[in-house]
């Protein structure tokens, strides 16, 4: 400390430092004292210590003389007194704060402040000057006289009402003067309160009791009872930094409380608890808070069986300490509550608050606190399982709020409590399972294997209880399971789908309103990458579909159809297939109802959703999976049983073929053949023919007719239809079918010729062949003709080849085949095949009359121009048959049909010319090039090459 000035007559000199003394050699090796050799460095240090001490004594004497001379000056300023105090403390090297000079100087400072500014000014001076001169190194201020001086002054001003003085003013001034150090102040009050001789009056003693507690903080007057029964030394030890002192103090508190309890003095017990709570557990000093906690625990132990009536005071401050910033305080809070809990189950009324605190402590950053909380948690579990005061209804909301916490320690804590409570027979945890089921499933995806295992074990136990329970709330849990079945975690999905499987088996009518949601969860799992999930999902799907439910029972057909429709766009084939199975099941199930009213209601109920499903089903026809397409067709067939939807189906089907040529090429045969099986081939072909007859896109109509004609000639599913067409000349049904198909078949000459050969109208086939002009015989025509020639060699046309054995009876057949032969290039394979076949025709059955009849050119030209009555016109096989109307045969007006064909071909020729003209007018060289040019080389090469197995298309594909 720097002196502002040096006392008169004394010249301060700076003694050498310890370092300088060590550097200097003051003694020789021979220096001895009393025969003992002394180290030179030690001798130098002792000499300089003596010099410093003598110098300090001189300074002290001079300062005391100055102070004594200044005593007569009553108006000495505060600054001068401050200087004197600094000088005194500098001189008082021994730390004697109670010297008469120091006490008198402080007394003069306080008196001067009281006279000039009152009690508040005196406290201010004490704070300001004391904090400035307080050494803080073990030496202290003269706190005893300062405290008494200020208390006397306060009483003198309070009694006459001169000045308002607070109870805490003196204590706060002393604490500030000591720079916040509580130990000196505590010792001062302890001494003043324990030694009544020092206090001059009872009023002053009562003032001390009501003013300061062991911490130096404010104590209300009603604390006097507590302070009167608890020695101040106990309170001081209770806040000591050493655990042993706090423990011993707690034992004394236990004994005091035990005596008070035996005497029945619960008011003083409450005062002691209040003192421990207010002045210790809520203290800003950590050691005080530790002492307060151990003191409360000791008080509880001392109360023994009477602790219940004081738990409202004891437990809340302990719970509050669980959130203390000091980990050691939190640890002692666990220890305190552990000892409190051992006193009995009465504290169970605080269970929710204790559970909340333990939940937080389970994730504490301090390992010791976690360990203490774990021990406390086990004790609380034991108490709860044996208590009849525990309320599960109040606990469940607390549990539900914390189930989605991600901290692994908290999750273990929660699962542990769920498992323990579920093991108690009197607690129905199953009834509250929907409240925390989602949280348990959420833990299945935890990164910790231990937590996943614990959650799975708890869920397995609950599932077993569900199987054995007569009443379970399946509905609420089903909603949770549906959401968890879509979890990205594999284990969670497997567990959820397993639960759903059991629910479907056990739930019965309760699950009917949730069928749609369950189906929405099952269908994606059918295509899961994990085989176990797929197996369980398929089993569940079959179980669900086997359940017979009715809309009147809450079965939402619309929701089921919506779910199935949405899954049609799934990227997984298995899911799409099962979705179609569901739609088909619904459409087939309801019309089979036994009662007419239910039948009518069910059909209407289902069909009202078909418009929404229809477009999705049509798009599904382009699915890459053949199995999906076949199922789509089955669903379409169910829908098309209604005439309105049948027409709509065929129209949309033709539209899809028009806009997507690849669909017609790749799936056309498959779709048409399957529809013919499901919806009656004749009905399908008649509807298609009606639609194509008025088709505006002539190119598409021609391609479509060629495709239908090829299917008709080759498909085994259409054998019955072919048999009906073969009877066109003798059977009215066959005649109607022939006429119905003829109108649209006119779009393709080769299709008409094939239809006539199939229907055995050979004469009309010959006429059609002869009506062809140059524009009709193009590359496409020759390709189709090549296919027809090859088809004539198949079993389908075996009857036609056998008819060649009677050329006399089937002259028009022979002429038609020869006409086709004349249209083929001689170098083509088809020409050679047909010529070889015609060479085998026997010549023994020809007669002149028949040759004359068949060599007259086009018989319809005579019919159309001359029409003589009685003319005999007949098809092959009916040579002697008389026909009433010359142009009719079995009601078929072939002349009118020929006109129809020629008109349609005329439209095609005009369309071809307009397209050619449009290409010629194009400025682009690429667009000006005729599309037929690159194909000119293909017919001959293709017709010269026999068909190979590798060039054949698979089922459901057309080569056009």
């Amino acid at each position: 400390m720097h002196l502002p000035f040096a006392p008169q007559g004394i010249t301060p000199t700076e003694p050498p430092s310890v370092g300088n003394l060590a550097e200097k050699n003051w003694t020789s090796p021979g220096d001895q004292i009393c025969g003992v050799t002394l180290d030179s460095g030690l001798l130098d240090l002792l000499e300089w210590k003596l010099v410093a001490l003598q110098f300090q004594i001189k300074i002290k004497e001079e300062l005391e003389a100055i102070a004594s001379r200044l005593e007569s000056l009553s108006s000495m300023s505060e600054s001068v007194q401050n200087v004197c105090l600094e000088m005194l403390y500098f001189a008082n090297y021994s730390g004697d704060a109670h010297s008469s000079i120091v006490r008198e100087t402080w007394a003069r400072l306080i008196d001067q402040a009281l006279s000039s500014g009152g009690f508040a000014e005196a406290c201010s001076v004490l704070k300001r000057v004391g904090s400035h001169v307080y050494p803080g190194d073990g030496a202290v201020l003269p706190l005893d006289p300062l405290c008494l001086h200020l208390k006397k002054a306060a009483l003198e001003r309070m009694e006459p009402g001169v000045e308002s003085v607070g109870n805490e003013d003196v204590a706060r001034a002393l604490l500030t003067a000591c720079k916040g150090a509580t130990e000196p102040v505590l010792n001062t009050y302890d001494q003043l309160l324990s030694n009544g001789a020092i206090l001059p009056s009872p009023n002053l003693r009562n003032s001390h009791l009501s003013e300061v507690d062991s911490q130096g903080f404010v104590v209300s007057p009603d604390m006097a009872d507590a302070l009167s029964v608890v020695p101040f030394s106990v309170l001081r030890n209770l806040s000591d930094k050493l655990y042993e002192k706090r423990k011993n103090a707690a034992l004394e508190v236990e004994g005091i409380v035990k005596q008070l309890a035996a005497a029945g003095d619960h008011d003083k017990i409450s005062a002691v608890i209040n003192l421990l709570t207010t002045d210790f557990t809520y203290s800003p000093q950590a050691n005080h808070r530790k002492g307060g906690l151990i003191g409360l625990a000791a008080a509880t132990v001392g109360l023994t069986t009477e602790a219940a009536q004081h738990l409202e005071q004891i437990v809340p401050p302990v719970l509050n300490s669980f959130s203390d910033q000091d980990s050691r305080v939190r640890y002692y809070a666990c220890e305190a509550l552990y000892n409190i809990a051992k006193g009995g189950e009465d504290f169970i009324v605080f269970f929710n608050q204790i559970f909340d605190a333990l939940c937080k402590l389970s994730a504490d950053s301090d390992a010791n606190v976690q360990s203490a909380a774990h021990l406390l948690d086990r004790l609380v579990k034991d108490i709860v399982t044996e208590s009849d005061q525990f309320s599960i209804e109040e606990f469940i909301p607390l549990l539900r709020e914390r189930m989605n916490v991600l901290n692994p320690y908290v999750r273990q804590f929660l699962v542990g409590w769920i498992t323990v409570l579920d093991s108690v027979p009197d607690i129905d945890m199953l009834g509250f399972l929907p409240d925390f089921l989602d949280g348990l499933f959420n833990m299945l995806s935890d990164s910790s294997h231990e937590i996943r295992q614990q959650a799975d074990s708890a869920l397995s136990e609950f599932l077993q209880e569900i199987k054995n329970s007569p009443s379970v709330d399946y509905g609420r849990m089903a909603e949770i399971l549906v959401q968890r079945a879509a979890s990205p975690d594999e284990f969670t999905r497997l567990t959820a789908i397993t639960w759903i499987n059991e629910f479907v088996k056990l739930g019965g009518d309760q699950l009917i309103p949730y069928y749609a949601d369950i189906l929405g969860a099952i269908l994606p799992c059918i295509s899961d990458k994990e085989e176990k999930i797929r197996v369980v999902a398929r089993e569940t799907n079959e179980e669900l579909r086997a359940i017979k439910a009715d809309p009147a029972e809450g079965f939402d057909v619309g929701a089921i159809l919506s779910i199935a429709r949405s899954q049609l766009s799934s990227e997984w084939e298995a899911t799409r297939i099962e979705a179609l199975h569901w739609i088909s099941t619904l459409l087939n199930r309801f019309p089979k109802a036994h009662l007419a009213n239910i039948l009518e209601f069910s059909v209407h109920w289902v069909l009202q959703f078909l418009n929404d499903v229809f477009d999705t089903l049509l798009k599904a026809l382009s699915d890459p999976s053949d199995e999906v397409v076949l199922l789509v067709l089955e669903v379409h067939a169910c829908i098309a049983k209604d005439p309105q939807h049948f027409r709509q189906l065929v129209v949309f089907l033709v539209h899809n073929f028009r806009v997507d040529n690849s669909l017609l090429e790749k799936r056309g045969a498959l779709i048409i053949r399957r529809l013919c099986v499901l919806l009656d081939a004749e009905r399908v072909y008649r509807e298609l023919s009606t639609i194509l007859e008025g088709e505006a896109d002539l190119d598409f109509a021609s391609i479509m007719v060629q495709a239908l004609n090829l299917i008709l000639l080759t498909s085994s599913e259409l054998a019955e239809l072919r048999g009906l067409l073969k009877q066109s000349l003798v059977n009215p049904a066959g005649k109607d079918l022939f006429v119905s198909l003829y109108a649209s078949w006119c779009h393709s000459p080769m299709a008409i010729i094939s239809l006539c050969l199939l229907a055995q109208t050979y004469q009309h086939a010959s006429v059609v062949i002869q009506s062809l002009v140059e524009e009709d015989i193009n590359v496409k025509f020759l390709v189709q003709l090549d296919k027809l020639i090859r088809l004539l060699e198949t079993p389908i046309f075996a009857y036609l080849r056998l008819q060649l054995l009677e050329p006399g009876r089937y002259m028009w057949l022979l002429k038609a085949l020869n006409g086709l032969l004349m249209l083929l290039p001689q170098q083509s394979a088809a020409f050679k095949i047909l010529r070889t076949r015609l060479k085998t025709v026997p010549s023994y059955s020809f007669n002149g009359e028949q040759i004359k009849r068949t060599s007259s050119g086009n018989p319809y030209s005579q019919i159309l121009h001359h029409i003589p009555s009685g003319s005999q016109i007949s098809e092959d096989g009916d040579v002697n048959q008389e026909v009433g109307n010359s142009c009719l045969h079995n009601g078929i007006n072939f002349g009118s049909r020929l006109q129809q064909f020629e008109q349609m071909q005329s439209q095609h020729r005009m369309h071809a010319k307009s397209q050619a003209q449009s290409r010629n007018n194009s400025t682009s060289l690429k667009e000006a090039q005729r599309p037929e040019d690159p194909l000119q080389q293909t017919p001959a090469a293709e017709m010269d090459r026999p068909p190979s197995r590798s060039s054949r298309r698979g089922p459901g594909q057309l080569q056009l």
Side-chain angles (χ1 to χ4, degrees):
M1 180 169 54
H2 174 67
L3 287 174
F5 62 91
Q8 186 176 2
I10 298 178
T11 304
T13 59
E14 181 180 0
S17 65
V18 177
N20 292 332
L21 292 175
E23 293 175 0
K24 193 170 183 180
N25 186 10
W26 289 89
T27 61
S28 63
D31 293 338
Q32 294 183 351
I33 298 177
C34 301
V36 181
T37 303
L38 297 177
D39 182 71
S40 59
L42 178 59
L43 185 59
D44 291 342
L45 180 60
L46 292 174
E47 291 177 351
W48 281 105
K49 277 280 188 180
L50 180 59
V51 172
L53 182 59
Q54 292 173 350
F55 178 71
Q56 292 174 353
I57 293 173
K58 289 182 179 181
I59 292 176
K60 179 179 180 180
E61 292 174 350
E62 290 295 331
L63 290 175
E64 289 178 349
I66 294 172
S68 63
R69 288 195 297 270
L70 294 175
E71 289 180 2
S72 59
L73 299 176
S74 59
S75 61
M76 183 175 54
S77 64
E78 180 184 340
S79 61
V80 175
Q81 295 183 25
N82 290 344
V83 172
C84 291
L85 286 172
E86 290 190 11
M87 293 168 62
L88 287 172
Y89 277 102
F90 175 76
N92 190 18
Y93 183 80
S94 63
D96 186 9
H98 297 281
S99 65
S100 60
I101 296 177
V102 174
R103 290 197 303 270
E104 289 298 327
T105 304
W106 270 111
R108 290 181 180 276
L109 279 173
I110 298 300
D111 289 339
Q112 183 181 7
L114 289 171
S115 61
S116 62
F119 183 79
E121 179 64 19
C123 290
S124 177
V125 169
L126 175 59
K127 294 177 182 178
R128 184 170 64 255
V129 178
S131 62
H132 183 63
V133 301
Y134 178 70
D137 60 352
V140 294
L141 298 172
L143 297 180
D144 295 352
L146 285 174
C147 180
L148 290 174
H149 197 156
L150 288 175
K151 289 301 297 181
K152 290 178 181 179
L155 291 174
E156 292 173 356
R157 282 162 172 74
M158 289 176 60
E159 291 177 355
V162 175
E163 187 175 354
S164 175
V165 180
N167 289 334
E168 73 278 6
D169 290 348
V170 176
R172 295 188 183 280
L174 292 175
L175 285 172
T176 304
C178 293
K179 298 180 180 178
T182 59
E183 190 69 22
V185 180
L186 291 174
N187 292 335
T188 298
Y189 276 93
D190 189 17
Q191 185 177 0
L192 293 176
L193 290 172
S194 60
N195 190 356
I198 297 179
L199 296 177
S201 67
N203 289 338
L204 191 56
R205 178 179 178 88
N206 293 334
S207 177
H208 280 298
L209 288 174
S210 63
E211 176 185 344
V212 179
D213 69 350
S214 62
Q215 304 174 46
F217 287 103
V218 180
V219 178
S220 59
D222 59 354
M223 289 295 178
D225 290 340
L227 294 173
S228 64
V229 297
V230 181
F232 211 82
S233 58
V234 174
L235 297 177
R236 183 176 64 248
N237 290 336
L238 203 58
S239 61
D240 197 274
K241 63 181 180 181
L242 296 178
Y243 173 75
E244 286 299 327
K245 288 187 177 182
R246 295 197 301 269
K247 179 180 177 182
N248 292 332
L251 292 175
E252 294 189 39
V253 170
E254 178 184 346
I256 293 171
V257 172
K258 188 176 294 185
Q259 293 176 0
L260 293 174
D265 196 347
H266 288 280
D267 291 337
K268 287 187 178 181
I269 294 176
S270 297
V272 172
I273 295 174
N274 188 39
L275 174 65
L276 294 173
T277 301
T278 306
D279 297 344
F280 283 84
T281 59
Y282 293 131
S283 170
Q285 299 295 325
N287 288 331
H288 288 67
R289 298 196 296 274
K290 297 174 188 176
L293 290 169
I294 193 172
L296 288 174
T300 306
V301 175
L303 286 168
T304 59
T305 58
E306 300 181 11
Q309 57 183 310
H310 295 283
L311 288 179
E312 290 287 345
Q313 284 181 279
I314 296 173
V315 175
V318 177
L319 294 176
N320 181 70
S321 299
F322 281 146
S323 58
D324 196 280
Q325 294 181 352
D326 192 324
S327 61
R328 298 301 298 169
V329 174
R330 298 196 298 273
Y331 177 86
Y332 285 114
C334 294
E335 182 184 78
L337 190 59
Y338 185 91
N339 290 318
I340 294 171
K342 287 195 302 183
E345 65 173 0
D346 295 318
F347 91 113
I348 203 70
V349 295
F350 300 96
F351 174 78
N352 284 3
Q353 296 93 316
I354 294 173
F355 179 85
D356 180 63
L358 288 175
C359 185
K360 296 175 182 177
L361 290 178
S362 64
D364 198 276
S365 58
D366 189 277
N368 292 327
V369 176
Q370 284 191 13
S371 178
H374 178 67
L375 292 175
L376 176 60
D377 180 56
R378 289 200 302 181
L379 176 61
V380 174
K381 286 177 180 175
D382 292 340
I383 295 174
V384 167
T385 55
E386 298 175 2
S387 173
D388 56 357
Q389 301 179 22
F390 176 73
S391 174
I392 185 65
E393 291 80 8
E394 296 179 2
F395 168 70
I396 288 300
L398 197 67
L399 176 65
R400 182 175 57 243
E401 292 174 1
R402 288 156 178 78
M403 286 303 294
N404 291 323
V405 175
L406 300 180
N407 188 284
Y409 297 105
V410 175
R411 285 185 164 184
Q412 284 184 316
F413 172 80
L414 296 175
V415 175
W417 269 100
I418 291 173
T419 304
V420 167
L421 293 178
D422 186 50
S423 64
V424 180
D426 296 334
I427 298 178
D428 182 21
M429 287 294 286
L430 185 60
F432 296 95
L433 181 58
D435 291 290
F436 54 87
L437 179 63
D438 186 67
L440 284 176
F441 268 94
N442 195 28
M443 295 179 189
L444 293 176
S445 59
D446 195 275
S447 57
S448 171
H449 174 73
E450 184 177 359
I451 294 176
R452 294 198 303 271
Q453 190 175 22
Q454 290 178 358
D456 180 55
S457 177
L459 287 170
S460 300
E461 185 65 28
F462 278 118
L463 184 58
Q464 188 61 40
E465 292 179 22
I466 289 173
K467 294 179 181 179
N468 300 329
S469 177
S471 60
V472 178
D473 185 3
Y474 291 100
R476 288 179 59 194
M477 289 187 286
E479 296 176 355
I480 298 172
L481 296 176
V482 166
Q483 296 176 359
R484 289 299 171 181
S487 171
D489 180 69
E490 180 181 302
F491 187 50
T492 304
R493 292 199 307 276
L494 176 60
T495 307
I497 204 69
T498 303
W499 275 61
I500 292 176
N501 179 268
E502 295 295 338
F503 276 27
V504 171
K505 296 176 181 177
L506 302 171
D509 296 341
Q510 287 191 43
L511 287 179
I512 290 179
Y514 302 95
Y515 275 3
D517 295 333
I518 293 175
L519 181 63
I522 292 173
L523 290 179
C525 291
I526 290 176
S527 303
D528 198 277
K529 60 182 180 181
E530 176 60 35
E531 182 180 1
K532 293 180 180 178
I533 298 177
R534 294 198 302 270
V535 171
V536 178
R538 288 186 179 278
E539 179 185 347
T540 308
N541 183 58
E542 295 301 325
E543 291 279 351
L544 190 64
R545 193 158 52 202
I547 298 176
K548 304 298 182 180
D550 192 85
E553 301 174 353
F555 184 70
D556 193 344
V557 180
I560 294 287
L561 286 174
S562 298
I563 292 294
R565 181 187 62 181
S566 65
Q567 293 300 324
L568 289 179
S569 58
S570 171
E571 60 178 319
W572 306 108
E573 177 183 345
T575 297
R576 299 195 299 271
I577 290 174
E578 291 303 324
L580 288 167
H581 276 308
W582 266 98
I583 296 176
S584 177
T585 299
L586 292 177
L587 296 177
N588 287 321
R589 176 182 298 175
F590 291 100
K592 295 180 180 180
H594 300 293
L595 300 178
N597 57 341
I598 298 180
L599 172 63
E600 181 180 358
F601 171 75
S602 300
V603 172
H604 174 71
W605 185 265
V606 175
L607 292 181
Q608 65 179 325
F609 299 101
L610 294 183
N611 290 331
D612 295 334
V613 181
F614 201 78
D615 293 339
T616 306
L617 290 173
L618 287 173
K619 294 177 182 178
L621 290 174
S622 302
D623 195 277
S625 170
D626 288 344
E627 186 176 358
V628 171
V629 173
L630 292 176
L631 285 172
V632 170
L633 293 174
E634 288 185 12
V635 175
H636 275 304
C638 293
I639 299 175
K641 292 177 181 178
D642 176 62
Q644 174 186 355
H645 287 94
F646 175 78
R647 171 72 179 180
Q648 186 181 6
L649 168 63
V650 179
V651 169
F652 273 96
L653 189 60
V654 172
H655 171 75
N656 284 352
F657 285 150
R658 184 190 304 111
V659 299
D660 186 4
N661 292 331
S662 62
L663 178 63
L664 176 61
E665 180 181 354
K666 297 177 181 179
R667 293 288 174 77
L670 177 65
I671 294 173
I672 298 300
R673 289 165 56 189
R674 190 59 181 168
L675 282 180
C676 289
V677 172
L678 297 172
L679 293 175
D680 181 52
E682 181 179 354
R683 183 185 180 194
V684 173
Y685 261 73
R686 283 178 179 273
E687 192 66 36
L688 286 171
S689 179
T690 302
I691 295 172
L692 291 173
E693 182 181 357
E695 176 61 44
D697 188 347
L698 297 180
D699 292 334
F700 166 73
S702 177
I703 295 173
M704 187 70 188
V705 166
Q706 293 171 20
L708 293 175
N709 182 67
L710 185 60
I711 295 170
L712 176 63
L713 297 178
T714 59
S715 175
S716 59
E717 291 86 350
L718 274 70
E720 184 177 348
L721 191 64
R722 290 193 298 270
L724 185 60
L725 284 172
K726 290 176 185 178
Q727 301 177 11
S728 298
L729 297 177
V730 296
N731 189 330
K735 181 260 299 183
D736 292 341
L737 179 60
F738 177 82
V739 173
S740 175
L741 298 181
Y742 192 97
S744 60
W745 258 238
C746 289
H747 284 289
S748 172
M750 192 49 57
I752 281 291
I753 295 172
S754 301
L755 181 63
C756 291
L757 294 178
L758 186 61
Q760 302 188 62
T761 56
Y762 303 131
Q763 181 179 356
H764 186 69
S766 177
V767 174
V768 169
I769 293 171
Q770 294 182 33
S771 70
L772 298 176
V773 297
E774 179 182 353
E775 290 86 348
D776 299 329
I777 307 174
N778 51 29
V779 176
K780 296 179 181 179
F781 174 84
L782 294 176
V783 171
Q784 294 297 318
L785 178 56
D786 180 271
K787 293 181 180 180
L788 176 61
I789 298 304
R790 297 176 190 278
L791 285 174
L792 293 177
E793 298 299 318
T794 63
I796 294 175
F797 283 100
Y799 72 92
L800 184 147
R801 298 193 300 272
L802 292 175
Q803 288 175 350
L804 292 177
L805 295 176
E806 301 179 68
R809 184 179 179 186
Y810 297 98
M811 290 298 299
W812 289 113
L813 170 60
L814 190 62
K815 188 173 183 179
L817 294 178
N818 278 284
L820 294 177
L821 183 66
M822 295 301 106
L823 296 178
L824 288 168
Q826 294 187 31
Q827 301 302 320
S828 65
F831 177 85
K832 297 174 183 179
I833 292 173
L834 182 58
R835 185 181 61 178
T836 302
R837 175 62 64 185
L838 292 176
K839 285 181 180 180
T840 62
V841 176
S843 57
Y844 57 81
S845 58
F846 288 97
N847 59 64
E849 179 62 22
Q850 291 171 336
I851 294 175
K852 179 179 179 181
R853 288 172 53 202
T854 57
S855 62
S856 60
N858 187 349
Y860 295 154
S861 61
Q862 300 175 5
I863 295 174
L864 296 174
H865 294 91
H866 304 287
I867 315 178
S869 59
S871 298
Q872 296 181 356
I873 303 297
S874 63
E875 287 286 351
D876 288 345
D878 299 312
V879 179
N880 299 322
Q881 181 177 352
E882 294 293 336
V883 182
N885 190 342
S886 304
C887 61
L888 298 177
H889 187 80
N890 195 27
I892 303 176
N893 190 337
F894 286 105
S896 176
R897 300 282 80 79
L898 181 62
Q899 284 184 334
Q900 187 178 15
F901 170 74
E902 290 179 342
Q903 290 175 1
M904 184 61 70
Q905 288 305 303
S906 176
Q907 293 181 22
H908 278 272
R909 295 185 197 108
M910 293 177 61
H911 176 68
K913 289 180 180 179
S914 63
Q915 286 186 330
Q917 184 178 2
S918 176
R919 288 192 295 269
N920 291 333
N921 293 336
S922 176
T923 56
S924 172
L925 179 62
K926 185 176 181 180
E927 294 179 357
Q929 187 178 6
R930 294 181 60 83
E932 288 83 357
D933 292 343
L935 300 176
Q936 292 293 338
Q937 300 176 0
T938 58
E942 182 176 346
M943 289 184 288
D944 290 340
R945 183 175 66 253
S948 63
R949 292 182 179 269
S950 60
S951 64
R952 296 176 183 176
R953 298 297 180 97
Q957 297 185 2
L958 297 175
Q959 184 177 1
L960 304 178

